[in-house]
Amino acid sequence: MIGELYRQRALIWAFANRDFSTRYRASVLGWAWSLLQPLATLLVYAAVFSLVFRIQAPPLGSDPDRTSFAAFLFTGMVTFNLFSGLLMLSMTQLKSNGELLRKVHFPAWTPILGASVVQLVQVALELVVLVAMFLWLGNIGISWLLAIPILLATAMFGQGVGLMLSVVNARYGDVQYIVQVILQALYFLTPILYPLSLVEGTADWLATIVKANPLTWFVEAMHQVMYSLTSPQWWVIPGLLAFGLAVFWAGFTIFNRSSEDIGEFL
Amino acid sequence: MTNDFAVELDNVGKRFLRHADRRSTLKERIVRGRARNTQDFWAVRNVNVEIPKGSVYGLIGHNGSGKSTLLKLITGIYRPTEGSITTDGRVAALIELGAGFHPDMTGRENIRLNGSILGLSKVEIESAMETIIDFSGLREFIDDPVKHYSSGMYVRLGFSVAVHMKPDVLLVDEVLAVGDEEFQRKCFDHLYTLRREGRTIVVVSHGLGQLEGLCDEVAWLDHGTVQEIGPATEVIGSYLQRVNTEEAKANAEVASDRDDTTMRAGSGAIRSMEARLLDGQGDPLNHSETGATFGIEVTVRCHEEVLGPNVRFAFQHETGPLVTMMSNHRQGVDFGHIEGERTIAAFLTDNPLLPGRYRVHIDIFDHTGSVLIDNWDDALEFTVRSPRGEIGQGFVELPYTYEIK
């Protein structure tokens, strides 16, 4: 798998280049849009959930007497968006490159990964904002470094699921709409808008669902290293990495096996 | 496989589900279950073809005979349902030119992208860049977004990229009919260059004259199976014979329609009924050869007595241009008064036409040359072959002599 990825790096890069240079070509603000959109969401959610619903964020790692709901929320949002962005984008790539795949034979996953590279740039921009936010709050710690493997695992997870679903979506066009609904539900079943402790006080079944949601694991780990400045237990990060890698490998393998004659279905 | 073949198709078959029976939404899939297999059809089946390295191989057949499916199988876009396909070396397809172009990107950016998709490395692309731009003739516009290109420019760029990726096997599907005269000629010249370099070319085309000149071997497909494989001239000959007999059959059915020539322009005092190709002795002929005298004969029916009509035969080359027009008035031949059913023949001495397909249009004017009596387009279509097997450049061979001093 790694060898194949490496061999096709030029093609992945070529697609990334195409998507990169055409993504916001016709808009005035260009790449600023990729930040304005999540920031607007952040503002609305932060206002509604902290002021109307009065949800309390846990104490900041640097100062147990202070909290910042916006920083807590944005940490979770960035992590979730990394997953869902890669997933949704990957899922629609086969269709949007259908014209090409029907006429030229080349590895069908290359445009998908190319698009993902561009998506990762957007996530990187969001991360810069997140880091700036924490710097401004003075909430800085060495545990930040652990965010790198966590985000890597999140990306592999999202990419793996995206690869699997892209083939299904190429054949049955309504999959992407179903997935959209599921992602929306997952957003609220992940402790992004509320701390995990808040769910534990509610119905048992709800707490079980939230804890069984793999995204909870990733978001919680990010909360710990970025917001609370603590390291998770030693097995958490290797576990997440192994999980992400397994899903990615499975996605890649399934994709390769079922996409050989994809040109006929597009 | 032995290394003599660039492409080997071994008992290849490809089955498709009919589109109407495809489950395209989950709901349909769930509600109606798996597709019944009764609607399958085989686009190609039992195809055994061996394409020698360094040869030019033609695929002919009527529309829907499976030619393009076969090309897509060779490129790997389709997987064979049964049988196996072996290819040796890099395969590039000129199936849809410019398929990978992004309208918002410039010509240069698209060359890079298309090159990568076709399997070229970055270094290879950059080193071929200037040649590609020169070949396309689009240097002036190469840094403009391709959405501002005309469709012709689009195709030129696509062709230029594809042929410069140095494929071992180049698949060409009917794309030679694009671009202006000059570019088409350039494409053909380039195909000949590739051929000289020992690359393998597989061509699908309806331009039988072109194929005859270009191909070493031809496979004739009919309803997805191979009818005949062999030297280009032979296979194209038997294909044309089949087409002609089928057309004759069809023509016999519509003969009464043709008899009712009311659809034709002209006064109708004379109607051309049937046209034939003759050899120098006046015997019927299937095709004509460069250098050999042949004739065109037309049977006309006069509905009234007509004085000294001008019966003209116009020869049109398959690519469109009018090559020549034969006219008895210009020859100073007066038919006098004619009536009833007559046959009129014109002989072309030492046929100067070069190999290709030609169509004959017949029109008849009155003795003044100003009143149209009958006009029959596409009265006849025939092939000119070269006895020496080569193809000429152009349409006619004129008498000439060489001198060296």
Side-chain angles (χ1 to χ4, degrees), chain A residues 4 12 21 36 49 58 61 78 93 116 137 140 165 185 191 195 201 204 212 217 231 246-247 252 256:
Chain A
E4 218 173 321
I12 297 174
S21 59
L36 285 174
F49 284 88
V78 169
Q93 279 309 300
S116 296
L137 286 169
I140 307 158
L165 290 177
D204 270 351
W217 316 337
S231 352
V247 174
F252 193 77
N256 265 348

Side-chain angles (χ1 to χ4, degrees), chain A residues 25 100 103 105 172 261 264, chain B residues 14 29 76-77 100 104:
Chain A
R25 193 163 266 198
L100 195 53
K103 277 149 193 168
H105 183 63
Y172 309 106
D261 46 1
E264 288 171 41
Chain B
K14 177 70 191 169
R29 180 71 190 250
I77 297 170
D104 282 332

Side-chain angles (χ1 to χ4, degrees), chain A residues 165-185:
Chain A
L165 290 177
S166 64
V167 190
V168 189
N169 190 50
R171 297 188 192 204
Y172 309 106
D174 27 27
V175 169
Q176 71 185 82
Y177 304 106
I178 299 173
V179 171
Q180 236 161 9
V181 174
I182 293 175
L183 277 179
Q184 220 161 35

Side-chain angles (χ1 to χ4, degrees), chain B residues 2 26 40 45 78 82 130 162 164 168 186 219 228 270 275 278 289 296 315 322 330 332 341 343 377 404:
Chain B
T2 62
L26 268 182
D40 296 358
R45 199 158 197 197
Y78 292 164
E82 58 181 33
E130 293 306 307
H164 284 94
D168 299 305
K186 222 165 159 183
E228 196 177 326
I270 308 179
L278 304 174
E289 282 186 354
I296 302 277
F315 287 74
L322 185 66
R330 205 170 340 129
E341 206 167 281
T343 53
D377 285 336
I404 179 167

Side-chain angles (χ1 to χ4, degrees), chain B residues 240-393:
Chain B
L240 279 176
Q241 212 160 10
R242 164 82 68 87
V243 171
N244 287 341
T245 45
E246 269 169 22
E247 196 181 62
K249 226 188 290 168
N251 281 352
E253 284 161 23
V254 296
S256 51
D257 288 358
R258 189 174 279 191
D259 213 6
D260 170 34
T261 46
T262 48
M263 297 297 285
R264 289 206 209 142
S267 69
I270 308 179
R271 286 302 185 201
S272 314
M273 307 310 299
E274 203 185 327
R276 284 169 301 277
L277 208 62
L278 304 174
D279 66 9
Q281 280 69 50
D283 294 323
L285 205 62
N286 275 328
H287 68 274
S288 150
E289 282 186 354
T290 305
T293 300
F294 79 101
I296 302 277
E297 184 181 65
V298 61
T299 307
V300 299
R301 186 175 295 157
C302 308
H303 298 287
E304 57 192 70
E305 195 187 48
V306 176
L307 171 68
N310 187 16
V311 179
R312 310 194 305 173
F313 299 101
F315 287 74
Q316 191 186 11
H317 190 255
E318 60 185 318
T319 55
L322 185 66
V323 178
T324 188
M325 164 99 81
M326 303 199 283
S327 148
N328 56 294
H329 276 195
R330 205 170 340 129
Q331 286 281 314
V333 176
D334 188 355
F335 294 146
H337 288 275
I338 63 167
E339 55 185 324
E341 206 167 281
R342 306 291 294 265
T343 53
I344 298 162
F347 288 89
L348 196 58
T349 322
D350 301 338
N351 180 13
L353 299 174
L354 288 170
R357 295 279 291 164
Y358 295 86
R359 281 186 296 184
V360 181
H361 312 292
I362 302 173
D363 61 24
I364 304 175
F365 280 86
D366 76 340
H367 68 284
T368 65
S370 58
V371 178
L372 180 68
I373 296 175
D374 187 31
N375 176 46
W376 186 13
D377 285 336
D378 294 322
L380 186 65
E381 190 172 347
F382 66 98
T383 304
V384 175
R385 295 190 194 145
S386 160
R388 285 156 296 171
E390 87 270 31
I391 76 153
Q393 303 280 324

Side-chain angles (χ1 to χ4, degrees), chain B residues 105-135:
Chain B
M105 285 165 52
T106 68
R108 196 185 294 275
E109 287 171 327
N110 270 309
I111 292 177
R112 290 204 185 99
L113 177 65
N114 227 12
S116 315
I117 293 168
L118 294 173
L120 258 70
S121 76
K122 242 180 203 158
V123 181
E124 284 173 304
I125 295 170
E126 292 310 322
S127 68
M129 181 66 81
E130 293 306 307
T131 328
I132 293 173
I133 297 173
D134 281 335
F135 190 87

